């Protein structure tokens, strides 16, 4: 069930795409049909782990027989008897078993076409739709063909019209819904393909195609002839009355006027009007007992009957659409939820606020309260990082993902964290002020917390032995702790991870040690591990050294938004560190209150929203008059910076004020008018510098005007300051004086020359600044880089590469002083009291004496003579390109490309030579590397100057597919579409981590008929 999980990092970025929701609720009516019916045990006719039978799709073969799949196999269910058979897929008429090494087989969606007498399978990892003949008697599938185009990337579901003439596919990885005309049961022609983010469900009714998109959690209606999206509905919300969906996986025609949708994460089945897409009714919900569903991944309508695949209950429900009551439930777990009080069962999603279990239990971790969530634990206050629960195949998780989580209370020092969809139990135990995380495992999934007891359909699970043995293990660890407080990795293995009892984890030491090392992923975690491995072998290490090791880690870790829980807890377990006052005494804490007589919508008040470390929520006052809130800090500081993240690039503050309040008096700190935020990675952000010689611990922020809805909609508001007093007036004078001195210093530091080539400098991870200074000469780009480094991030700046109409090229640095931009030219050793725009627009007003001391050969790059002739310029606000590029000879094992053109080989991608570039008649590059940690791939396209039209032309890809691997396991799979040609483009991976293989595929090029061309490729 790999795609059910949604990381919070992805969730945060996705929610920024949505328009703010309407406060008016729809008229959706909740109905409560009986979803139990007659319980029929499956009669499995194959030897296997029946727990793996988790149906995610259903299709009809005839009135009695239905086919289903679980990402691995295809099954046959007889709804009269409960018999279940597993199909064997065969590759040819000789009945050879399908060779999976040649044909990947990951069935995610099924559709049997009665008209074509063919089974169509959405083959997720194969990037195609497989076509089979079905032999019911022998329980075999005979391969008949495939449907495959550049748009069938990661298909999840497929639908065929009743006449067998049209097929629609929803492709999750390709983020597309694609329509095919079937010329015969096995021959096809692509008609259109429409972009829908993470498309998952698809169906056809009349002349419309309906689809679900998981990126925006929407239901779409498309024109069947053109593929144009005509209507959509939905947003990330767990309440159907707000048109909310969380993971709508399936859509299916109900009748001539309605469609149905199943949502795996809410557990609801929705009935929608097919024309308006309005939600009219809904039922179900994820919860314990068969009264509720558990991850209903699919629904099928068959005349007056429906079938629901409740995947994590291993249940298929058959019922009547008139009442929606169940007639039969095909189940695996024998008797029906014995000894379960029906009054105590609950709909889990009604307890959650989207993905946060706000009505659930609170957990104390290192002195801070957390709520449970979807794969994460969230701090109640904005004072600690969000904790990621252990991922699959890691030290503390040998099962599946942690989805919606819950907790069992043992005592005030012992909590068990679990997910209903995972077999792992995490015992979080505090003993003597030190936290321990001890994993154990259940016999199956679908366990729930009912009245603080763990129960599933087999009955209550006795946690007594796990609790008793866990406490015993922790006491054993205490006895093994060294005098300096350190616990060795060998002792950790012997006590926690080397077990004979079936309910505890057991690894061999090699496997344990590999997973142990992989726990530490953050920069500070890796630094901790490096020293810890030395410390545990050195008997002379003092307790003070060990404590300082932990302090150094936690001081950095608590400033992060997200930290892996295993790493966060294990550092304390290994060191025995307890004195957290030494870690966060200097940390600034905030509390937010709405101003008096102002009104905010419930759940969107500043005190609720701005105290969370995530940005997936936002403030929402009634009107602009209510757009005011107070900020209180735990200590008085001299305010220096303010950071604001607005709701979106179209909804942000225009005019606003910030006051510091001291002894009842207000001091105006910011008075912003006609604000235009910087748009970065889809976020609308403002950073303001404040100069104050007064300490404040209380502030008032008030919006006077806002773009869009004209009220204060923001996601984050932070004030940064210093305790040490700064003489503001003196600093204002010194800032300009100091920068002028820096500018002169850089001018005299090196001589003008060819400088140091950036690409050569960073091949071995060298410091570019040191490399420039070593040569003692540099070009204008070298000069402004040295000035940028001298600033040390203490003041806003912007870099510019300039070009005149007669091809004079130069670089300067703009620096903001007293809220005014001034332009510095360290190459010439001069500065201008104007911004670049002012210099260009008013070049005639530039002081003629400014170039007085500039040598003759450089006068052409100075004053009005230069700025009056500017025809083009490129601006940048980061020197990120100067970080070490890891794509170099030392890291490359091999690099291959299909159709490589002689003289334009892949070597050009990393040789640093500006006169070479890569070109091929193929469409892919495969790179094998030594294992390196990367988070970003940077591309540079080929460009040339079109003299006739006086413009630069970029030859760049239209679409790129990037896949990364580590140890043959796919770690990232992304499809990026470029709306226009580009010169430089950064591709941020979904997940930072180790990579030893990269595959890049290109689909189409701008300004090139066929060749795949790139100037360079970099890895960071």
């Amino acid at each position: 069930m790999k795609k059910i999980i949604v990381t919070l990092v992805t969730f945060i970025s996705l929610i920024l795409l949505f328009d703010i929701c309407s406060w008016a609720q729809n008229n959706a009516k909740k109905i409560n049909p009986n979803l139990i019916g007659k319980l029929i045990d499956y009669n499995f006719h194959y030897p296997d782990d029946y727990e793996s039978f988790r149906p995610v799709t259903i299709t009809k073969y005839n009135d009695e027989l239905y086919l289903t799949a679980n990402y691995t196999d295809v099954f046959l269910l007889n709804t009269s008897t409960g018999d279940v058979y597993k199909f064997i897929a065969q590759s040819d008429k000789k009945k050879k078993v399908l060779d999976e090494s040649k044909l990947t087989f990951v069935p995610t969606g099924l559709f049997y076409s009665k008209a074509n007498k063919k089974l169509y399978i959405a083959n997720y990892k194969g990037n195609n739709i497989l076509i089979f003949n079905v032999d019911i008697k022998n329980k075999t599938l005979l391969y008949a063909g495939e449907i495959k185009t550049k748009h069938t990337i990661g298909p999840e579901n497929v639908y065929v019209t009743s006449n067998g003439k049209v097929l629609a596919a929803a492709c999750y990885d390709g983020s597309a819904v694609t329509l095919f005309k079937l010329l015969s049961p096995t021959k096809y022609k692509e008609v259109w393909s429409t972009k829908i983010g993470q498309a998952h469900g698809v169906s056809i009714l009349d002349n419309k195609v309906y689809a679900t998109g998981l990126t925006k959690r929407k239901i779409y209606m498309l024109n069947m002839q053109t593929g144009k999206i005509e209507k959509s509905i939905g947003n990330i919300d767990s309440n159907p009355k707000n048109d909310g969906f969380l993971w709508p996986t399936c859509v299916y025609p109900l009748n001539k006027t309605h469609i149905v949708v199943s949502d795996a994460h809410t557990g609801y089945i929705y009935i929608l009007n097919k024309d308006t897409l309005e939600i009219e009714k809904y039922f179900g919900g994820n919860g314990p007992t068969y009264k509720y569903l558990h991850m209903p991944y699919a629904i099928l309508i068959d005349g007056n009957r429906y079938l629901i695949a409740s995947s994590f209950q291993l249940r298929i429900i058959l019922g009547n659409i008139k009442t929606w009551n169940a007639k039969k439930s095909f189940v695996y777990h024998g008797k029906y939820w014995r000894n379960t009080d029906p009054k105590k069962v609950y709909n889990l999603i009604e307890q959650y606020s989207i993905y946060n279990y706000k009505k659930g239990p609170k957990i104390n971790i290192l002195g801070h309260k957390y709520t449970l969530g979807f794969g994460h634990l969230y701090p109640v206050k904005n004072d600690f990082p969000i904790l990621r629960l252990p991922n699959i195949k890691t030290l503390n998780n040998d099962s599946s993902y942690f989805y919606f989580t819950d907790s069992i209370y043992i005592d005030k020092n012992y909590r068990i964290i679990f997910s209903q969809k995972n077999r792992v139990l995490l015992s979080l135990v505090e003993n003597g002020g030190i936290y321990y995380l001890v994993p154990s495992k259940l016999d199956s999934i679908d366990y729930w917390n009912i009245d603080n007891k763990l129960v599933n359909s087999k009955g209550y699970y006795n946690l007594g032995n796990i609790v008793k043995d866990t406490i015993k293990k922790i006491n054993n660890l205490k006895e093994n702790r060294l005098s300096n407080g350190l616990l060795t990795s060998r002792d950790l293995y012997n006590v926690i991870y080397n077990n004979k009892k079936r309910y505890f984890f057991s690894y061999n030491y090699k496997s344990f040690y590999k997973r142990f090392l992989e726990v530490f992923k953050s920069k500070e975690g890796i630094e901790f591990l490096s020293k810890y491995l030395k410390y545990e072998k050195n008997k002379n290490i003092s307790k003070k050294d060990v404590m300082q090791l932990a302090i150094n880690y936690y001081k950095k870790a608590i400033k992060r938004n997200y930290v892996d829980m295993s790493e966060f807890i294990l550092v304390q377990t290994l060191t025995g560190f307890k004195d957290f006052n030494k870690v966060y005494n200097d940390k600034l804490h905030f509390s937010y209150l709405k101003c008096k007589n102002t009104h905010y919508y419930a759940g969107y008040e500043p005190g609720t929203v701005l105290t969370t470390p995530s940005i997936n929520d936002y403030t929402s006052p009634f009107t602009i008059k209510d757009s005011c809130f107070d900020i209180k800090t735990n200590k008085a500081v001299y305010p220096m910076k303010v950071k604001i993240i607005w709701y979106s690039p179209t909804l942000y503050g225009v005019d606003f004020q910030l006051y510091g309040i001291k002894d009842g008096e207000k001091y105006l700190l910011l008075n912003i008018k006609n604000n235009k935020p910087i748009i970065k990675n889809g976020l609308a952000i403002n950073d303001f510098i404040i100069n104050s010689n007064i300490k404040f611990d209380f502030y008032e922020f008030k919006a006077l005007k806002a773009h869009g809805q004209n009220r204060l909609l923001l996601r984050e508001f932070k004030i940064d300051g210093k305790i040490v007093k700064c003489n503001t007036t003196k600093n204002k004078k010194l800032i300009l004086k100091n920068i002028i001195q820096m500018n002169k210093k850089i001018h005299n530091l090196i001589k003008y020359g060819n400088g140091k080539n950036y690409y050569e400098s960073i091949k071995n991870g060298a410091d570019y600044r040191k490399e420039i200074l070593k040569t003692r000469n540099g070009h204008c780009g070298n000069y402004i880089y040295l000035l940028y480094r001298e600033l040390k991030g203490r003041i806003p700046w912007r870099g510019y590469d300039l070009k005149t109409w007669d091809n004079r090229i130069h670089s300067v640095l703009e620096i903001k002083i007293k809220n005014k931009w001034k332009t510095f030219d360290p190459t010439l050793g001069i500065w201008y009291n104007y911004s670049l725009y002012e210099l260009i627009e008013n070049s005639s007003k530039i002081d003629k004496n400014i170039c007085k001391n500039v040598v003759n050969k450089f006068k052409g790059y100075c004053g009005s003579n230069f700025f009056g002739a500017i025809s083009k310029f490129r601006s940048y606000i980061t020197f990120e390109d100067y970080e070490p590029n890891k794509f170099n000879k030392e890291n490359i094992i091999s690099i291959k490309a299909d159709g490589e053109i002689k003289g334009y080989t892949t070597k050009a991608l990393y040789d640093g030579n500006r006169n070479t570039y890569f070109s091929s008649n193929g469409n892919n590059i495969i790179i094998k590397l030594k294992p390196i940690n990367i988070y970003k791939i940077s591309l540079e396209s080929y460009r040339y100057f079109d003299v006739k039209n006086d413009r630069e032309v970029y030859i760049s890809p239209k679409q790129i597919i990037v896949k990364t691997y580590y140890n043959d396991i796919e770690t990232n799979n992304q499809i990026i579409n470029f709306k226009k040609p580009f010169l430089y483009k950064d591709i941020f991976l979904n997940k930072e981590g180790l990579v030893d293989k990269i595959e890049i595929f290109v689909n189409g090029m701008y300004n090139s008929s066929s060749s795949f061309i790139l100037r360079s490729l970099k890895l960071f």
Side-chain angles (χ1 to χ4, degrees):
M1 307 295 252
K2 292 181 180 178
K3 293 169 295 306
I4 301 178
I5 185 69
V6 179
T7 64
L8 188 64
V9 174
T10 304
F11 171 67
I12 289 172
S13 63
L14 294 177
I15 198 166
L16 293 173
L17 298 172
F18 310 141
D19 293 328
I20 187 163
C21 61
S22 167
W23 297 106
Q25 291 190 329
N26 61 34
N27 295 315
K29 179 183 178 183
K30 184 178 181 182
I31 58 176
N32 295 291
N34 183 320
L35 295 176
I36 302 171
K38 180 182 178 182
L39 294 173
I40 300 173
D41 283 349
Y42 292 118
N43 183 19
F44 292 105
H45 290 268
Y46 59 92
D48 208 340
D49 172 17
Y50 302 129
E51 289 278 348
S52 67
F53 179 75
R54 298 183 192 177
V56 296
T57 179
I58 312 173
T59 188
K60 178 183 178 180
Y61 182 79
N62 60 31
D63 290 340
E64 184 179 60
L65 304 178
Y66 294 83
L67 281 67
T68 184
N70 67 345
Y71 292 147
T72 305
D73 296 293
V74 177
F75 303 90
L76 178 71
L77 170 66
N78 187 316
T79 54
S80 296
T81 63
D83 290 321
V84 177
Y85 301 88
K86 183 191 290 188
F87 281 101
I88 296 174
Q90 297 179 341
S91 58
D92 57 30
K93 293 180 179 180
K94 294 180 181 179
K95 301 190 181 301
K96 290 181 180 178
V97 175
L98 195 70
D99 186 348
E100 292 193 13
S101 65
K102 294 181 180 178
L103 185 61
T104 304
F105 190 61
V106 184
T108 54
L110 307 179
F111 196 98
Y112 182 76
S113 170
K114 188 176 180 181
N116 294 339
K117 296 182 179 180
K118 294 288 185 289
L119 175 65
Y120 297 87
I121 298 179
N123 186 25
Y124 178 68
K125 288 291 185 181
N127 295 327
N128 58 2
I129 309 297
L130 294 176
I131 307 170
F132 287 94
N133 292 309
V134 180
D135 183 345
I136 292 293
K137 183 179 178 181
N138 296 305
K139 311 301 182 291
T140 56
L141 303 176
L142 186 64
Y143 177 73
E146 68 170 341
I147 296 173
K148 186 170 186 175
T149 71
K150 65 180 181 180
H151 294 121
T152 56
I153 308 297
E156 277 284 357
N157 273 295
V158 62
Y159 188 95
V160 182
T161 53
S162 58
N163 62 8
K165 299 270 179 84
V166 179
L167 179 147
C171 298
Y172 180 90
D173 286 355
S175 288
V177 170
T178 304
L179 193 82
F180 297 91
K181 181 180 180 181
L182 294 178
L183 306 174
S184 73
T186 58
K187 293 182 179 180
Y188 61 91
K189 178 183 178 181
E190 183 176 302
V191 180
W192 51 255
S193 185
T194 299
K195 299 305 293 184
I196 289 180
Q198 295 175 301
H200 202 287
V202 67
S203 63
I204 300 172
L205 179 58
D206 296 335
N207 61 342
K208 306 295 180 186
V209 176
Y210 297 88
T212 68
L214 303 188
T215 296
K216 294 187 178 182
R217 315 304 206 277
K218 284 181 178 287
I219 314 303
Y220 296 87
M221 180 171 72
L222 296 84
N223 184 295
M224 187 172 168
Q225 278 69 45
T226 65
K228 181 181 178 181
I229 297 174
E230 296 184 341
K231 197 180 290 276
S232 66
I233 191 172
N235 60 88
I236 294 182
D237 198 317
S238 49
N239 188 351
K241 290 184 177 292
N242 294 334
D243 295 332
F245 299 94
L246 290 185
W247 206 243
T249 48
C250 180
V251 59
Y252 209 90
L254 173 61
N255 50 37
K256 293 181 178 180
T257 57
H258 290 80
I259 58 174
V260 288
V261 171
S262 66
D263 187 310
H265 286 180
T266 64
Y268 288 132
I269 305 297
Y270 308 73
I271 296 98
L272 284 72
N273 182 291
K274 80 172 179 70
D275 297 318
T276 65
L277 298 187
E278 181 181 355
I279 302 172
E280 296 183 0
K281 297 177 184 178
Y282 66 98
F283 63 90
N286 289 326
T289 78
Y290 295 136
K291 176 183 177 181
Y292 292 105
L293 307 174
H294 194 182
M295 287 284 203
Y297 236 58
I299 182 168
L300 169 74
I301 304 300
D302 178 18
N304 291 323
R305 302 196 300 179
Y306 71 84
L307 286 90
I308 296 173
S310 186
S311 303
F312 280 77
Q313 290 175 328
L314 283 63
R315 178 163 71 125
I316 292 178
I317 306 159
L318 190 153
N320 188 291
I321 64 171
K322 290 183 179 179
T323 62
W324 294 103
N325 289 328
K327 290 185 175 181
K328 300 176 182 178
S329 277
F330 299 95
V331 296
Y332 170 54
H333 282 322
K335 293 185 178 179
Y336 164 63
W337 289 87
R338 291 169 291 173
N339 306 317
T340 304
D341 185 345
K343 294 180 181 179
K344 293 181 179 179
V345 299
Y346 52 90
N347 182 351
L348 182 70
I349 207 63
E350 291 179 352
Q351 312 293 313
Y352 265 75
S353 174
I354 304 182
Y355 284 110
N356 194 327
Y357 197 2
K358 289 191 174 180
K359 292 184 180 180
K362 304 294 185 289
I363 295 177
N364 188 52
I365 299 177
L366 301 179
H368 296 260
K369 285 188 177 180
Y370 278 80
T371 59
L372 298 153
F374 188 92
H376 296 77
L377 303 181
Y378 301 101
V380 174
K381 296 181 179 179
N382 186 18
D383 54 359
F384 247 40
I386 297 170
L387 298 180
R388 282 186 289 253
L389 289 164
N391 206 340
I392 58 173
K393 296 182 180 179
T394 59
L395 184 66
N396 293 316
N397 184 5
D398 66 354
S399 182
S400 60
Y401 294 104
F402 283 90
Y403 298 90
F404 294 94
T405 53
D406 206 335
S407 170
I408 300 292
Y409 176 87
I410 304 301
D411 61 40
K412 65 178 183 178
N413 297 320
Y414 195 135
R415 282 274 192 180
I416 289 178
I417 300 168
F418 72 100
S419 172
Q420 304 86 1
K421 301 149 187 68
N422 188 318
R423 298 188 189 197
V424 175
L425 300 178
L426 295 174
S427 290
L428 181 66
V429 184
E430 181 189 2
N431 188 307
I434 301 171
Y435 280 80
Y436 300 83
L437 195 63
V438 181
S440 52
K441 52 190 175 182
L442 296 165
D443 55 349
S444 63
I445 61 168
D446 199 34
Y447 275 94
W448 296 80
N449 178 353
I450 299 181
D451 202 21
N452 199 47
K453 294 177 181 177
L454 201 61
V455 59
N456 78 351
S457 60
K458 296 178 181 179
Y460 289 97
Y461 187 91
N462 186 351
L463 292 167
N465 290 332
I466 289 178
V467 171
K468 180 182 68 175
D469 288 341
T470 297
I471 292 172
K472 184 179 178 181
K473 286 177 177 295
I474 291 170
N475 288 330
N476 288 342
L477 284 180
K478 287 175 65 177
E479 293 174 4
N480 288 322
R481 198 174 289 279
L482 303 177
S483 59
N484 60 14
L486 210 61
L487 188 67
T488 68
S489 56
R490 173 63 76 169
D491 285 335
L492 183 73
Y493 168 71
N494 289 336
V495 176
I496 304 296
Y497 298 99
N498 184 19
N499 296 283
K500 293 182 180 178
K501 295 188 176 179
R502 62 179 178 80
Y503 46 77
F504 280 120
F505 280 27
S506 186
Y507 302 116
N508 60 51
Y509 184 73
K510 184 178 179 180
S511 178
F512 156 79
Y513 196 65
K514 181 178 181 293
R515 295 191 181 205
F516 171 77
L517 297 179
E518 291 172 347
V519 165
F520 303 93
K521 294 179 180 177
S522 70
K523 184 177 179 180
E524 56 272 19
I526 294 169
E527 290 171 355
F528 168 86
L529 178 65
S530 177
K531 287 190 176 180
Y532 166 81
L533 295 175
K534 295 175 183 176
Y535 282 13
E536 69 171 342
K537 297 174 183 177
N538 189 343
K539 295 181 180 179
N540 296 321
I541 295 297
S542 67
K543 187 168 186 176
K544 183 179 178 181
D545 292 330
V546 173
M547 295 305 105
Q548 191 59 50
L549 181 62
I551 291 170
N552 292 343
Y553 168 81
Y554 282 114
K555 274 195 170 184
K556 295 176 182 177
I558 64 172
K559 293 178 182 177
R560 286 186 177 271
N561 283 335
Y562 299 89
V563 180
D564 283 352
M565 184 181 184
S566 293
E567 176 186 292
F568 201 65
I569 299 297
L570 193 53
V571 169
Q572 193 196 31
T573 302
L574 295 173
T575 60
F577 174 73
K578 292 186 275 187
D579 190 1
F580 276 85
N581 286 328
K582 292 181 179 178
V583 172
Y584 48 73
N585 262 348
D586 59 346
K587 189 174 172 68
L588 200 60
H589 301 299
F590 300 85
S591 56
Y592 301 85
L593 303 164
K594 59 184 181 181
C595 297
K596 288 183 179 179
N597 301 318
T598 61
H599 303 87
Y600 284 75
Y601 288 97
Y604 297 84
E605 305 93 340
T608 302
V609 171
L610 298 178
T611 53
T612 65
S614 63
I615 56 172
N616 62 338
D617 42 17
Y618 49 88
T619 61
S620 186
F622 283 9
T623 66
I624 193 66
K625 292 181 180 179
D626 298 297
S627 299
C628 174
F629 61 84
D630 297 325
I631 308 107
K632 184 169 176 54
T633 57
N634 58 321
K635 55 193 172 188
V637 296
Y638 297 100
M640 294 176 61
K641 296 179 182 178
V642 172
K643 179 179 181 180
I644 304 173
I645 300 180
W646 304 100
Y647 180 82
S648 75
T650 57
L651 299 172
Y652 57 85
V654 176
D655 299 345
F656 45 88
Q657 297 170 335
L658 176 68
Y659 292 92
I661 301 174
K662 188 176 181 67
D663 300 327
E665 288 192 41
K666 280 188 175 182
Y667 297 83
L668 185 61
L669 302 177
L670 281 178
N671 186 20
I672 306 299
K673 293 184 178 180
N674 300 318
N675 173 54
K676 289 188 177 179
I678 293 172
I679 309 303
K680 189 175 181 181
N681 296 329
L683 300 175
I685 301 172
N686 278 124
D687 287 294
F688 299 105
I689 304 295
I690 299 175
N691 289 305
S692 173
N693 58 1
I694 301 175
K695 276 186 176 183
F696 297 100
D697 62 2
F698 199 86
Y699 307 84
E700 180 182 281
F701 183 79
K702 188 172 185 179
L704 306 174
K705 183 181 177 183
H707 190 275
Q709 296 192 8
N710 199 28
R711 54 195 181 101
L712 183 63
L713 301 166
L714 54 81
R715 299 180 181 279
E716 182 174 287
F717 186 97
K718 289 284 177 64
I719 296 175
D720 192 13
K722 284 190 175 181
I723 298 173
V724 180
K725 186 173 182 178
C726 52
N727 189 325
T728 312
T729 306
K730 186 178 179 183
N731 274 354
K732 281 185 178 180
K733 293 177 180 176
L734 283 177
I735 284 175
L736 178 57
K737 182 179 177 182
N738 285 342
I739 295 173
I740 293 172
Q741 290 172 346
M742 290 175 190
N743 196 54
K744 278 288 184 186
K745 174 186 171 183
I746 300 303
H747 173 68
N748 295 319
L749 197 60
I750 59 175
K751 293 181 179 181
Y752 188 84
N754 292 328
K756 190 68 180 175
N757 184 284
Y758 161 65
Y759 298 93
E760 292 177 0
S761 300
I762 55 83
K763 277 181 182 178
N764 297 310
D767 185 316
Y768 188 47
R769 177 179 177 275
K770 290 180 180 178
E771 293 292 297
I772 296 170
L773 296 177
K774 198 183 294 182
T775 63
R776 306 301 294 172
N777 69 73
H779 51 71
C780 52
N782 294 157
Y783 276 92
I784 68 165
Y785 179 74
L786 292 176
L787 180 55
Y788 147 75
R789 286 286 294 266
E790 199 74 19
L791 296 175
K792 297 178 180 176
R794 293 173 289 181
I795 195 165
W797 63 272
R798 293 191 295 228
Y800 290 95
D801 294 336
L802 312 170
K803 183 181 180 182
T804 63
W805 61 269
D806 56 353
N807 288 327
R808 282 173 283 161
I809 298 171
H810 194 42
S811 298
V812 295
L813 204 68
E814 246 186 358
I815 300 173
K816 195 173 186 181
I817 303 166
K818 293 185 181 179
N819 288 323
K820 187 179 186 310
W821 291 98
K822 302 179 190 296
T823 305
F824 288 81
D825 186 342
T827 311
L828 306 184
I830 60 176
W831 68 281
Y832 304 86
N833 196 28
Y834 302 101
S835 70
L836 177 68
Y837 288 96
E838 290 170 327
L839 290 173
I840 294 173
E841 294 296 323
N842 301 291
S843 60
S844 61
K845 295 182 180 180
I846 300 173
D847 186 354
K848 294 178 180 178
N849 293 321
I850 195 94
C851 305
K852 183 178 179 181
N853 297 320
V854 175
V855 296
N856 287 334
K857 71 174 183 177
F858 293 134
K859 285 191 185 295
Y861 299 90
C862 177
S864 58
N865 179 30
F866 178 69
F867 290 98
I870 298 294
S871 61
K872 295 181 180 180
F873 62 84
R874 181 174 73 93
S875 65
Y876 41 91
I877 57 173
T878 174
F879 275 96
E880 198 174 45
D881 272 350
Y882 290 97
E883 66 181 304
N885 172 19
K886 297 178 181 178
F887 191 55
N888 52 50
K889 283 183 180 178
E890 287 70 25
N891 289 330
I892 296 171
I893 295 174
S894 67
I895 177 168
K896 296 180 180 179
D898 289 342
E900 188 175 80
I901 298 174
K902 188 176 180 181
Y904 302 93
T905 66
T906 54
K907 184 181 177 182
L909 296 173
Y910 60 91
D911 65 5
N913 187 338
R914 308 301 296 157
N915 296 317
T916 63
Y917 59 90
F918 160 75
S919 180
S920 81
N921 292 319
N923 70 340
N924 72 315
I925 300 172
I926 299 175
I927 304 163
K928 291 186 179 180
L929 302 159
K930 294 177 183 177
I932 55 173
N933 194 77
I934 66 170
Y935 72 96
K936 180 180 75 173
I937 299 173
S938 293
L939 306 176
E940 179 185 1
S941 68
Y942 179 82
R943 65 174 169 177
Y944 66 91
F945 192 78
D946 180 354
V947 178
K948 183 179 179 181
N949 296 302
D950 190 30
R951 67 186 182 99
E952 284 187 333
V953 177
Y954 304 145
I955 298 178
S956 62
K958 293 180 178 179
Q959 182 191 69
I960 275 186
I961 302 168
V962 175
K963 297 182 180 182
T964 65
Y965 302 83
Y966 181 63
N967 284 341
D968 293 324
I969 296 173
E970 188 177 285
T971 55
N972 284 279
N973 188 332
Q974 293 169 252
I975 297 177
I976 304 98
N977 293 292
F978 305 109
K979 294 183 179 179
K980 59 183 180 180
F982 63 87
L983 181 58
Y984 299 101
K985 191 64 69 174
D986 288 339
I987 298 171
F988 291 88
L989 302 184
N990 290 330
K991 182 174 69 175
E992 179 179 352
L994 286 172
V995 170
D996 58 15
K997 182 181 174 184
I998 300 172
E999 295 180 351
I1000 296 175
F1001 303 88
V1002 65
N1003 287 323
M1005 297 287 294
Y1006 286 107
N1007 301 313
S1008 175
S1009 58
S1010 59
S1011 297
F1012 176 18
I1013 299 174
L1014 277 181
R1015 168 77 75 185
S1016 70
L1017 184 149
K1018 304 173 192 172
L1019 303 177
F1020 300 102

